[in-house]
Amino acid sequence: MRIVEVRASVHQIDGKLPVSGKPAGDTLRVVCEIETDAGLVGLGMTGRFLAHGTAAVINHHLAPAVMGLDPRRVEAVHARMAKLASERGRMSGINLAAMSCIDLACWDLWGKSTGQSVAQLLGGHADGAEVYVTFGFPTYDDDQLVEVARLLVAEGHHRLKVLVGTGHGGRADVRRVRKVREAVGDDVVLSIDANEGIPLEAAVAIARGVEALDIAWFEDPLRNCDARDMAELRRKTMIPLSAGQMDGHGSRFRDWLEHDALDICMPNSMYNGGMTETRRVASLAQIYNRPLSDAGGGGVFCLHHVAGFAHGTLAEVHLGADQVEAALFHKPPTPVNGRTTLPAGPGWGVELDRDRLRATRVQPT
């Protein structure tokens, strides 16, 4: 089986948050499809950052390099792209996002050609994963935040995540998290996420302010998540730390783990170079006895790595990103009573809605 065509396009899907009706954000996606001489088509996707630039890198630089390769030889395809994406040193940003798109499409093809899901190719530990819900967005006022939390618990969810460090101020962040805890009770798992937005001192203050609320993890707690600062924060709080959703390639995780700076590994194959890179991160996590989760709106793609590995724990449900999948896919996986089951088909197990794909396409200006 050989690659005969690679095409990438940009799509915008506008969603609204429940209760407030405000924009959900995270509206752009780069969709990549790879066709083979066997008639199979593989799907890859990446997110909103420099979307038109990412699509251009795929179409004009990476696609010609992988033409004629066997997509099932994912390490060979990945190595070919890596030489183009970065001549030396570490990669991040648009080059990793572009590689992610193609790599994910190759894993989809590998699965389809063998009749297996990507999770099965990774090891097939489980048929799905328990989930947590990212819902606590800064556009919600305190009352709306509490209302959405109660609605989610009523729907069967019992793991929730609230964003902090988003401009409300540290004391307001602590107040908002406390109100959610009071509203949902002690049996609901509650975590917080700073999206790499605050300095060490602010993160320490927030952590100390919410420690008594039984916080399950503090995600991306520091600006740039510097390994030394993460280790310092870890020494100053009892809350487990997690990171990796946007730049979680293998070298990044190695730094965190060697500095004893991380409790939970959260790679996202839409941004880190693809499932080939996530597989490397998963091996590191196993060696260091760290659980493997996901974050950053990776949806069905990250669900497969959480289900595939024995140390996979929780997959993310994201109130914004999940609306994108609901718009672009026929029958995307949805959670039931706090758990999402893998789709039944091979590869990712999802198929694009061609009508919606055409309707949402954004042409470069």
Side-chain angles (χ1 to χ4, degrees), residues 144-365:
Q144 292 170 334
L145 190 70
V146 167
E147 182 178 353
V148 177
R150 286 174 172 158
L151 286 172
L152 291 169
V153 172
E155 291 174 3
H157 291 289
H158 40 275
R159 302 177 191 88
L160 306 177
K161 187 174 75 178
V162 178
L163 272 64
V164 298
T166 56
H168 291 285
R171 291 183 179 179
D173 285 331
V174 172
R175 182 191 70 238
R176 286 163 63 85
V177 176
R178 182 178 293 113
K179 286 191 173 186
V180 172
R181 171 57 78 202
E182 291 170 351
V184 300
D186 295 335
D187 292 335
V188 171
V189 174
L190 191 59
S191 60
I192 59 175
D193 181 358
N195 280 332
E196 297 192 35
I198 54 178
L200 176 60
E201 296 78 11
V204 170
I206 290 174
R208 289 176 174 170
V210 300
E211 273 186 341
L213 302 177
D214 189 21
I215 301 301
W217 70 85
F218 193 169
E219 184 178 318
D220 283 343
L222 300 174
R223 189 171 294 137
N224 300 322
C225 285
D226 176 81
R228 292 166 298 181
D229 287 344
M230 289 279 286
E232 180 68 15
L233 175 60
R234 192 165 182 257
R235 287 190 288 268
K236 292 183 176 181
T237 181
M238 296 172 60
I239 301 173
L241 304 185
S242 66
Q245 60 177 291
M246 292 303 169
D247 57 353
H249 50 76
S251 296
R252 186 86 153 123
F253 275 100
R254 184 191 63 194
D255 285 347
W256 286 323
L257 293 169
E258 287 182 347
H259 281 83
D260 203 19
L262 197 66
D263 297 282
I264 304 168
C265 297
M266 288 185 159
N268 186 331
S269 297
M270 287 174 59
Y271 300 102
N272 69 351
M275 191 58 73
T276 301
E277 191 68 18
T278 292
R279 183 171 59 175
R280 297 165 186 164
V281 172
S283 295
L284 270 174
Q286 284 182 317
I287 291 167
Y288 279 88
N289 295 313
R290 296 291 193 270
L292 187 71
S293 184
D294 95 278
V300 68
F301 304 105
C302 289
L303 173 63
H304 279 266
H305 83 240
V306 176
F309 290 103
H311 58 313
T313 53
L314 299 177
E316 182 188 37
V317 170
H318 190 288
L319 292 189
D322 281 23
Q323 294 183 51
V324 175
E325 291 198 355
L328 289 180
F329 298 151
H330 289 295
K331 298 180 180 179
T334 55
V336 177
N337 293 324
R339 189 179 191 275
T340 300
T341 301
L342 288 166
W348 305 120
V350 294
E351 297 295 334
L352 288 167
D353 183 326
R354 295 291 167 184
D355 292 335
R356 290 290 292 161
L357 198 66
R358 284 189 291 269
T360 58
R361 184 166 182 175
V362 180
Q363 299 291 346
T365 55

Side-chain angles (χ1 to χ4, degrees), residues 35-103:
E35 291 193 16
T36 69
D37 59 1
L40 295 176
V41 179
L43 167 68
M45 189 178 292
T46 190
R48 62 194 181 276
F49 303 106
L50 300 174
H52 289 288
T54 300
V57 169
I58 294 169
N59 289 326
H60 299 295
H61 300 285
L62 297 184
V66 302
M67 209 66 66
L69 296 183
D70 184 340
R72 296 166 296 186
R73 297 178 58 196
V74 291
E75 288 284 353
V77 176
H78 206 270
R80 176 74 64 86
M81 292 191 293
K83 291 179 180 178
L84 286 175
S86 179
E87 183 181 274
R88 66 196 71 179
R90 294 183 180 179
M91 292 184 286
S92 62
I94 190 172
N95 48 11
L96 279 182
M99 288 177 61
S100 296
C101 250
I102 290 179
D103 183 79

Side-chain angles (χ1 to χ4, degrees), residues 31 33 53 116 279 297 318 347:
V31 175
E33 291 185 279
Q116 299 180 85
R279 183 171 59 175
H318 190 288

